[in-house]
Amino acid sequence: MTALGTLLWFVSVLARRSPTELAQVRYGAALVRLQPNATPPAAPLVEVASLDDLARLAERHGAAILYQPRQPLHYYFMAAPGITYRYAVSEGPGGVLTASLVQLESDLRRALEQQEFQVYYQPIVSLADRQIVGVEALLRWQHPQHGLVSPTEFLAAAEASGLIEPIGAWLLETASAQCRAWQAAGLNLRLAVNLSARQLTPALIRQVRHLLRISGLAAGQLQVEIPEARVLEQAEEVLPCLRELNDEGVHIALDDFRGRTPVLTLENLPLHSIKLDRPWLEGVSDPQAAKTLQHGIDATRAYGLEVIAEGVENEAQMHFLLATSCTLAQGYFFARPLPAEQVTQILRGQNPLPASEGSGKEEQP
């Protein structure tokens, strides 16, 4: 193979494996890396379909390409007078789902129209008696080429494109209808739904009121979960909506909790629960880490908050939680996220709760 042939082969391998690695090879000298938390150019954004297009614009304007990795999205910016051009690419684990933001937005719109999304439900268990007391609704995408796709591969793109709002509305409506069906069958469960900060708008309040009215669910049966990191970043923006949800009687949980929220912020938030972040729980075999986690649980309990552990994977973690004031848990040790019909079979006693599924690493839902 000639030197040119070797180079072309290498570039083609990179293109298949990772667009970001290919970008470093092709445009490395023109790229200026931004920190993930840095503020990108603020001018009105125009999306471009490829990095080649962005590079041509940068050459025309004599400007650098700004690169900002924010997993799983990788952003490339080029600032021109009065406008910022942007290219974004999403890289799923192992490159399973790799596309530009423009292409992903088109695919997500199609998925919504073609009803390619599905809702899986992970049981939430009372540690005292191992009874299922609730479920967390988790989004999945039945992609026509890639099969069942985890939300870690597309939710960032959905949020960046604004599609998180219609997708989130669909998830909430679908999960509420399923919870209503369980309720009609005499199976009363709390329904937990994840929300992004972007969804916390007056439109969400109207949707929640409508769903509660038509479903007959008690407001306290609906639990909305907001990531702790987002609350810390956008406390002032999300607080009015959280207060309205609280006034409606909706149960509010602080998700992915690692004890980073200042005491004053925690006191001012209308919270009912905190959900311990899965990586925090992984360290309970280390005495110092276990002591830190115990302190975090005690501190939140002091505010009268319910403690829910997520990502429970083994018996040691369960026994640690039983020795604390944690009352509820979910994770592969009890059950994986399952389609609604399988959860129904478990609830009716047709299948036992698969408590032996704890072997293996739990994926982030």
Side-chain angles (χ1 to χ4, degrees):
M1 185 181 291
T2 66
L4 177 60
T6 301
L7 177 61
L8 292 175
W9 171 82
F10 177 65
V11 169
S12 69
V13 169
L14 281 181
R16 289 194 301 270
R17 191 176 72 182
S18 170
T20 55
E21 292 181 15
L22 178 61
Q24 293 295 330
V25 170
R26 296 182 65 177
Y27 304 111
L31 294 179
V32 176
R33 188 184 180 99
L34 299 177
Q35 292 301 313
N37 59 351
T39 302
L45 284 174
V46 172
E47 301 287 353
V48 298
S50 73
L51 188 53
D52 290 339
D53 291 340
L54 191 69
R56 282 191 286 269
L57 286 166
E59 185 177 5
R60 185 185 309 163
H61 289 273
I65 299 173
L66 304 179
Y67 167 56
Q68 186 174 45
R70 298 182 68 180
Q71 293 290 353
L73 286 180
H74 298 257
Y75 292 98
Y76 299 85
F77 302 93
M78 197 286 294
I83 194 168
T84 295
Y85 297 96
R86 182 178 74 172
Y87 170 71
V89 63
S90 175
E91 293 195 24
V96 173
L97 183 60
T98 305
S100 73
L101 184 61
V102 173
Q103 182 61 52
L104 262 178
E105 181 176 354
S106 175
D107 289 349
L108 289 168
R109 288 188 188 280
R110 185 210 66 233
L112 202 54
E113 293 168 359
Q114 299 297 321
Q115 300 181 342
E116 294 173 4
F117 291 116
Q118 298 180 11
V119 184
Y120 276 43
Y121 300 88
Q122 186 168 41
I124 300 171
V125 177
S126 167
L127 288 172
D129 55 14
R130 296 285 190 93
Q131 294 299 303
I132 298 175
V133 296
V135 290
E136 180 177 357
L138 299 167
L139 188 67
R140 297 292 185 266
W141 181 5
Q142 188 63 49
H143 195 284
Q145 281 81 46
H146 301 295
L148 201 63
V149 178
S150 165
T152 56
E153 299 193 37
F154 64 85
L155 279 188
E159 186 146 354
S161 65
L163 285 171
I164 191 65
E165 294 174 49
I167 292 172
W170 175 86
L171 172 65
L172 185 57
E173 183 175 350
T174 302
S176 295
Q178 179 58 59
C179 199
R180 180 173 71 243
W182 280 324
Q183 185 182 55
L187 304 169
N188 291 316
L189 300 171
R190 184 194 298 176
L191 172 66
V193 179
N194 293 285
L195 297 179
S196 73
R198 184 163 183 162
Q199 291 173 266
L200 295 176
T201 65
L204 175 72
I205 303 298
R206 292 192 294 272
Q207 184 189 18
V208 167
R209 286 172 179 160
H210 174 70
L211 287 175
L212 292 177
R213 185 171 63 252
I214 65 172
S215 69
L217 295 177
Q221 285 182 273
L222 176 61
Q223 174 174 301
V224 297
E225 301 183 357
I226 315 297
E228 182 186 29
R230 289 301 180 89
V231 170
L232 287 174
E233 292 170 2
Q234 300 170 276
E236 293 301 318
E237 291 88 343
V238 304
L239 190 55
C241 190
L242 291 179
R243 284 175 174 162
E244 286 201 56
L245 287 170
N246 182 61
D247 291 343
E248 292 293 325
V250 174
H251 194 105
I252 301 173
L254 195 61
D255 199 13
D256 301 329
F257 184 76
R258 293 290 298 274
R260 295 161 291 190
T261 308
V263 170
L264 185 60
T265 303
L266 202 60
E267 287 179 336
N268 290 326
L269 291 172
L271 298 175
H272 303 89
S273 301
I274 61 102
K275 296 191 74 174
L276 301 177
D277 196 14
R278 176 175 57 87
W280 205 11
L281 190 61
E282 289 174 351
V284 297
S285 57
D286 175 69
Q288 185 57 46
K291 183 178 179 180
T292 301
L293 179 54
Q294 176 69 69
H295 177 74
I297 293 174
D298 292 342
T300 54
R301 290 291 294 171
Y303 291 106
L305 298 177
E306 175 185 67
V307 180
I308 308 169
E310 56 185 348
V312 180
E313 297 175 352
N314 55 57
E315 196 164 353
Q317 292 172 347
M318 188 196 68
H319 285 309
F320 170 83
L321 294 169
L322 282 170
T324 70
S325 299
C326 182
T327 54
L328 302 176
Q330 64 188 93
Y332 279 18
F333 182 75
F334 304 107
R336 296 172 181 267
L338 300 166
E341 57 271 21
Q342 292 186 35
V343 175
T344 301
Q345 290 175 356
I346 293 172
L347 290 168
R348 288 176 173 168
Q350 297 176 30
N351 288 331
L353 190 66
S356 60
E357 288 197 42
S359 59
K361 192 75 169 176
E362 179 166 356
E363 296 177 2
Q364 194 73 18

